[in-house]
Each structure stands twice: as C-alpha cells, then as structure tokens.
Amino acid sequence: NAGVTQTPKFQVLKTGQSMTLQCAQDMNHEYMSWYRQDPGMGLRLIHYSVGAGITDQGEVPNGYNVSRSTTEDFPLRLLSAAPSQTSVYFCASSYRGLIYNSPLHFGNGTRLTVT
Amino acid sequence: GDSVTQMEGPVTLSEEAFLTINCTYTATGYPSLFWYVQYPGEGLQLLLKATKADDKGSNKGFEATYRKETTSFHLEKGSVQVSDSAVYFCALSDLLTGGSYIPTFGRGTSLIVHP
C-alpha cells in the first residue's frame, strides 16, 4: 500500500493564481482532512470529509475549497493564492466507523510558496 | 471545546539523557490520546496512543500514561538518541455528537539531541 500520497511536493505560485493540491489514499479510509502547518502555530485544520460527497469546514477554511467525489481522493483548491497561504500542507486520513480512536495517516506534505 | 497544551520548545538534550515532554488536555468526553512524531521533511506519524484512563502507550522506548485525574499524557524516554531529534505532537480524539470526530493537536515540541 502507498498510504497517503500528496502531489506536488513543492509549488511556487504568484499572487492571484489558482491551483489544486492533490491527495489520494489507498486504505479505504472514510475520513480525510487537510491541515496547514506554520511555524509556532502547529497544525490547523482547513477542511475535512467523513465520506464521499460529504465535506465540512475546519478552523481556517477561507480561501480554500474541497470536494470528495470518491473515497480515495480529496483535492484542495486554492482559488486565488495569497502570500498568507504560504505554508506546508498536509493531507491525513483515518478509518472512521465505530473505531473512532483510530490514528491519522499523513502524507509527506506539499510546501507552497506564494510570491 | 477540546484543547491540547504542550510545553514549548525547543528541548535540547545530550545523548542518553532522560526526556519528558509535558502534555495536558481539556475535553468534554472521554478522549483517546496520541503522540505523533514528525521527522524533518516528512509528515507526522503515530508514535503511541492510549484509549482510556491509566492506559500506557509505548513504542521505540517512548512511553506515556493516560492520567485522567490530572488530564495529562506526558511523553517520556529513558535515554534519547540523536535519531530522536524531531517535532513531537500531542493530540486527542473525542467522539462528537453525530458519531464523527475531529482530532485536536497541540502546537508541537521540537526536540534536539546532541551527540
């Protein structure tokens, strides 16, 4: 199993550009989520999904869109990039079901710079 | 709401020293508790977990005991190695109304081990 795969690993955008960060998992996990990691701020939840067709906002959703058309994929879209979105982005997934204390499985991150 | 508080870092130790990283939490229910580790350039990975009071999680020489009376889950290791240098995140997972959960993370504690 590949686990959680994120692409690209690095990206540089100009202010106002749009892009999609890809996330795919092959573990049949129901729960998927996106975090951003900034120095001194820890991990902040952007959006999450508890199953295909279901998404919800996390702590810092502004400027980001998500969709969940399949169990495997959970792309994160930046509509109009801003320098404040410079960060490292992590996708994470977990089995939900009755075992709610299942740990998260993380991808290796996408380092995004907006100039 | 739920929250996790970790000691601020960086924690700097010499090889073979004893390690403690403090973690306390607030939660409305009966959460499961986790420690994740992030090595440079990688995503987070589960280090250990405990699902109920007085449980001890352990892995790779690290241990943490779920203390409900003090709402704590301190991470310890008897003899650290240079390879333990990483950022450590304490987290909790609490079952919310509706049967879904959103993990809550602390801000992370950087550990630097010198030879």
Side-chain angles (χ1 to χ4, degrees):
Chain A
N1 288 348
V4 179
T5 303
Q6 289 185 240
T7 56
K9 292 187 189 303
F10 302 93
Q11 183 70 50
V12 178
L13 291 178
K14 294 187 188 306
T15 298
Q17 287 184 316
S18 63
M19 78 159 294
T20 299
L21 279 63
Q22 301 292 344
C23 175
Q25 54 91 9
D26 61 358
M27 297 172 284
N28 203 31
H29 284 169
E30 294 184 12
Y31 180 91
M32 296 186 74
S33 54
W34 278 101
Y35 290 87
R36 58 178 290 173
Q37 184 179 32
D38 303 292
M41 301 295 291
L43 290 169
R44 291 185 291 171
L45 182 64
I46 304 171
H47 285 285
Y48 66 97
S49 169
V50 297
I54 306 169
T55 63
D56 209 342
Q57 296 180 351
E59 180 185 357
V60 289
N62 292 341
Y64 308 94
N65 273 358
V66 292
S67 60
R68 184 93 180 271
S69 56
T70 67
T71 299
E72 294 79 18
D73 299 299
F74 191 45
L76 178 72
R77 297 182 186 85
L78 279 68
L79 308 174
S80 178
S84 61
Q85 294 178 304
T86 294
S87 186
V88 181
Y89 291 84
F90 288 100
C91 179
S93 72
S94 177
Y95 175 72
R96 175 174 165 250
L98 295 176
I99 310 176
Y100 73 93
N101 55 9
S102 297
L104 288 172
H105 296 254
F106 283 82
N108 280 336
T110 294
R111 184 175 296 275
L112 175 68
T113 301
V114 182
T115 61
Chain B
D2 295 351
S3 67
V4 175
T5 303
Q6 292 182 234
M7 60 188 293
E8 291 193 19
V11 173
T12 304
L13 296 172
S14 298
E15 206 165 25
E16 299 184 3
F18 184 85
L19 167 71
T20 299
I21 299 178
N22 290 337
C23 171
T24 57
Y25 68 91
T26 59
T28 54
Y30 297 92
S32 292
L33 301 174
F34 305 85
W35 277 101
Y36 288 84
V37 59
Q38 183 182 30
Y39 298 105
E42 298 183 8
L44 283 70
Q45 55 187 275
L46 179 69
L47 181 60
L48 53 84
K49 70 176 185 180
T51 59
K52 60 183 186 297
D54 299 325
D55 267 3
K56 177 185 283 188
S58 62
N59 186 26
K60 299 182 182 180
F62 290 89
E63 293 182 340
T65 300
Y66 190 143
R67 301 287 188 198
K68 191 168 184 296
E69 64 276 12
T70 55
T71 62
S72 64
F73 192 55
H74 305 322
L75 182 68
E76 296 181 336
K77 186 175 186 184
S79 177
V80 294
Q81 305 300 312
V82 172
S83 57
D84 293 326
S85 298
V87 180
Y88 293 81
F89 291 88
C90 185
L92 68 81
S93 177
D94 200 0
L95 185 62
L96 304 177
T97 302
S100 63
Y101 74 95
I102 302 175
T104 301
F105 286 86
R107 293 192 171 191
T109 302
S110 175
L111 170 66
I112 302 169
V113 181
H114 294 294

